[in-house]
Amino acid sequence: MSPTDRPPLRPPLLLLLAVGVALLVLSVLVTVTIGPADLSVAEVARSVAGHLGLPVADVARLHDAIVWDLRLPRVLTAAAVGAGLAVAGAVMQSLTRNPLADPYLLGLSSGASLGAVAVLVLGVAVLLPVAAFAGALAALVATLALARTSGTLTPARAVLAGLAVSQLAAAGTSFVIFWTATGDSYREILSWLMGSLAGATWTSVAISGLALLLVGTVLVAAATRLDAFAFGDTSAAALGIDVDRTRWSLMTLVALLTGAMVAVSGAIGFVGLVLPHAVSVVTGPAHRRLLPVAAVTGAVFLVWADTLARTVFDPRELPVGIVTALIGVPVFAVLLRRGRGTAWS
Amino acid sequence: MELRIEGVGTRLGGRWVVDGVDATPPDGALTGLLGPNGAGKTTLLRLVAGLLPPERGAVLVPDPDAPGARATVPVHALPRRRRARHVALLEQESNATVPLSVREVVALGRIPYRSLWGTDSDDGAVDRALAAASAAHLADRAWSTLSGGERQRVQIARALAQEPDLLLLDEPTNHLDVSAQLSLLAFVRDLGVTTVAALHDLNLAAAFCTHVLVLSQGRLAAAGAPADVLTPTLLREVYGVEAEVLVHPTTGRPVIALTGRSPEEGA
């Protein structure tokens, strides 16, 4: 496909969100039933209703435990992380005017992983989200500083700098593993590197959900300011935007969001890179539409990707990062073809 | 808008790229900003737009809080959003990284008017701007499919959506074919908005501008009507070229006929 002269079809935001949220609820209910133990949607619904204090018939205790203690926290974490990564990617792409920007490619995820792994081996897991945030922020600053040393911040430079920072953080993580890890902690650390939701608990739901809600709301409220960056910094400034303050405050929020997501799931790639582009084909680039729809789409996407990850090679579990890459790369290739001849090249 | 540029100057990397420029571009007319590359045209436009605070002097505009009164304020001291409702700047090269439709590009000009939740108090403003820039027929096209001339027209529509009293254009005719250059400048001239446009084509400036400012190494070398300013002496001193200045047989405007480089100018 090449860019055409046809007016883009842009369905109303409320319709898109209604469809998205309905899909998400359905996806959660269905994916919770999928797995080694055979459950029905009705059982899932009854278990959830029971825990919410609604008067419903009891569910077998084992099934109830599988739903409430294992699968539901995992699926909800997947939803929050998917939403958070998609929003983080969309915001970074706009702020850096770089269609390739994403928490993973610019090194934020690796930085957050390093922070997470470091506190993990030090045995202070309580600090994990904080360390992941600090790692993401440090990586962001390092990437932007490195990309700027030789002049203006071009997309190619930012990606190359992100690659370097990623490698450095990965080397740091490898060093920590090499020096300290044994047996179980090795496995746990590995899941941070490849991205996995296997360890998700209700605490994970709380961390990722809260970060998504707080940061997501602020980012959606900043939608107009993000729109203003479409033609670059000078143009944004001429439209009355405080360019430096906006960029740094929103980037810090993205690092916060990424830190929270990596703290519960490790570094999952391609969600932040691919989903915003795919979603903007339908919503258009206006952030007031793009961000909420990207969030819901990211949630649905990661819920299913994680379900695939834990069931395809049952009883073995794949890190979900492998699944997102397997789906994300072909989608990205299609988007690259569509974008030929525009700002992508 | 009555614009007064008073002794304005700023440094970039230690060098005075704009140095003590005094000028009063005429109200509601097209002023050409001329000068060789590196003379400080873009920096002066950014100073006039209030995007760069001057280290010396000031750019004064009427106080928007006291319409009618003769009070003036430095443009860089205006709150950003309010300034963006009075002053619009189009950059030399501007391209979008996201797939926007023409209507969406023009709607960007309404950002200074949008509420926190993104609603615009004036629905018709985008359509009016499109119509004013003769770009209404492009409204549903994708930005990336437009020609250079169409893009400039849409960018002007975006600037007009800001409802500016002062329009600043940096090399608006770059990369346009000849007919697009003529129609764009004629259009800007007839807008009736105070406009300062950096131009590198002296003959276009001579044909369309009411007033020209000539910059040389950050300083104002001359200012006034094109016929008074664009003399062989000035062209030799500022551009290092030998030229005859003729009179156009039908428009009566000056026409610059270059004969060669000045012998004493090395570069």
Side-chain angles (χ1 to χ4, degrees):
Chain A
M1 269 193 288
S2 61
T4 61
D5 286 358
R6 263 175 299 139
L9 189 68
R10 306 259 150 101
L13 175 63
L14 281 179
L15 176 71
L16 288 174
L17 276 182
V19 171
V21 169
L23 262 178
L24 178 59
V25 171
L26 200 68
S27 299
V28 168
L29 288 177
V30 170
T31 52
V32 170
T33 65
I34 299 174
D38 227 2
L39 301 172
S40 69
V41 174
E43 274 180 302
V44 173
R46 286 218 307 278
S47 166
V48 173
H51 282 276
L52 294 176
L54 299 176
V56 284
D58 275 352
V59 187
R61 183 172 297 173
L62 179 66
H63 281 187
D64 184 54
I66 289 173
V67 170
W68 191 254
D69 296 332
L70 293 176
R71 289 197 196 157
L72 195 59
R74 179 166 182 167
V75 169
L76 290 180
T77 304
V81 169
L85 291 177
V87 169
V91 171
M92 288 203 74
Q93 282 151 20
S94 301
L95 287 177
T96 59
R97 299 188 75 226
N98 182 350
L100 295 175
D102 132 84
Y104 196 76
L105 269 186
L106 294 196
L108 270 74
S109 301
S110 310
S113 292
L114 176 58
V117 168
V119 296
L120 210 68
V121 298
L122 291 174
V124 274
V126 191
L127 289 177
L128 216 149
V130 181
F133 166 59
L137 197 61
L140 171 67
V141 171
T143 296
L144 293 183
L146 195 58
R148 278 217 170 135
T149 45
S150 46
T152 50
L153 187 71
T154 65
R157 273 206 195 108
V159 171
L160 289 175
L163 214 73
V165 170
S166 255
Q167 295 298 320
L168 183 67
T173 309
S174 302
F175 177 78
V176 172
I177 296 170
F178 171 77
W179 207 245
T180 56
T182 49
D184 275 357
S185 73
Y186 189 84
R187 239 188 123 68
E188 207 174 340
I189 287 165
L190 212 58
S191 75
W192 253 277
L193 300 183
M194 299 204 252
S196 165
L197 291 154
T201 60
W202 281 106
T203 314
S204 321
V205 178
I207 292 172
S208 53
L210 216 62
L212 175 68
L213 210 65
L214 293 178
V215 178
T217 308
V218 179
L219 291 176
V220 171
T224 292
R225 278 182 285 159
L226 286 166
D227 289 346
F229 280 85
F231 282 90
D233 287 9
T234 303
S235 152
L239 291 170
I241 305 297
D242 187 340
V243 168
D244 285 332
R245 220 182 75 190
T246 302
R247 172 171 291 131
W248 286 109
S249 58
L250 296 186
M251 285 279 209
T252 307
L253 285 172
V254 168
L256 186 62
L257 193 57
T258 306
M261 298 314 163
V262 170
V264 300
S265 71
I268 298 174
F270 286 98
V271 181
L273 177 63
V274 168
L275 274 170
H277 295 303
V279 168
S280 77
V281 171
V282 180
T283 62
H287 290 82
R288 200 166 51 90
R289 294 160 53 81
L290 172 63
L291 293 183
V293 177
V296 177
T297 313
V300 173
F301 174 76
L302 202 59
V303 162
W304 283 104
D306 183 52
T307 305
L308 279 179
R310 67 185 165 84
T311 53
V312 169
F313 292 107
D314 186 47
R316 269 194 174 197
E317 225 183 71
L318 281 178
V320 68
I322 294 177
V323 177
T324 58
L326 281 178
I327 302 171
V329 171
V331 175
F332 190 65
V334 170
L335 290 170
L336 268 179
R337 277 187 64 84
R338 275 179 54 97
R340 236 176 1 184
T342 65
W344 283 51
S345 45
Chain B
M1 181 192 273
E2 276 180 54
L3 171 67
R4 281 208 331 266
I5 302 169
E6 291 191 343
V8 83
T10 196
R11 280 176 293 192
L12 285 181
R15 197 173 64 88
W16 287 92
V17 284
V18 172
D19 192 1
V21 172
D22 281 295
T24 320
D27 218 3
L30 173 59
T31 296
L33 182 56
L34 309 178
N37 286 343
K41 300 189 292 287
T42 298
T43 307
L44 182 60
L45 284 179
R46 290 173 60 91
L47 285 163
V48 173
L51 301 183
L52 201 63
E55 290 179 64
R56 280 193 202 147
V59 174
L60 299 172
V61 294
D63 187 348
D65 284 332
R70 306 289 297 166
T72 58
V73 287
V75 69
H76 71 272
L78 285 173
R80 292 164 207 281
R81 254 166 79 90
R82 160 145 331 156
R83 187 170 59 225
R85 296 178 182 192
H86 294 280
V87 184
L89 167 74
L90 288 192
E91 284 180 277
Q92 189 175 148
E93 300 273 337
S94 51
N95 210 348
T97 47
V98 288
L100 292 155
S101 74
V102 165
R103 183 179 294 281
E104 286 162 341
V105 171
V106 177
L108 292 175
R110 298 302 295 169
I111 284 177
Y113 296 89
R114 278 199 221 163
S115 68
L116 181 64
W117 294 109
T119 47
D120 187 344
S121 46
D122 186 351
D123 292 338
V126 169
D127 286 318
R128 284 202 308 277
L130 278 164
S134 314
H137 61 291
L138 302 172
D140 291 323
R141 294 265 302 270
W143 162 260
S144 56
T145 63
L146 300 185
S147 72
E150 288 168 335
R151 284 185 183 200
Q152 279 302 3
R153 223 160 243 281
V154 171
Q155 289 288 24
I156 296 215
R158 173 170 73 95
L160 293 181
Q162 285 174 253
E163 299 176 2
D165 315 310
L166 174 60
L167 185 58
L168 305 168
L169 310 172
D170 196 353
E171 304 274 6
T173 54
N174 255 10
H175 308 304
L176 299 193
D177 57 40
V178 179
S179 98
Q181 293 183 3
L182 298 180
S183 68
L184 185 89
L185 285 180
F187 165 74
V188 171
R189 176 194 61 196
D190 299 336
L191 269 178
V193 176
T194 309
T195 303
V196 180
L199 295 169
H200 65 267
D201 186 321
L202 298 171
N203 281 315
L204 278 179
F208 289 98
C209 296
T210 309
H211 193 83
V212 291
L213 308 173
V214 183
L215 284 184
S216 175
Q217 297 177 0
R219 292 174 170 277
L220 189 67
D228 302 333
V229 168
L230 299 174
T231 60
T233 317
L234 178 112
L235 295 172
R236 186 181 310 122
E237 283 168 1
V238 172
Y239 287 89
V241 293
E242 295 297 325
E244 301 280 340
V245 180
L246 315 171
V247 175
H248 194 286
T250 53
T251 65
R253 292 264 177 174
V255 174
I256 292 137
L258 300 172
T259 51
R261 267 168 61 177
S262 303
E264 66 271 30
E265 295 287 332

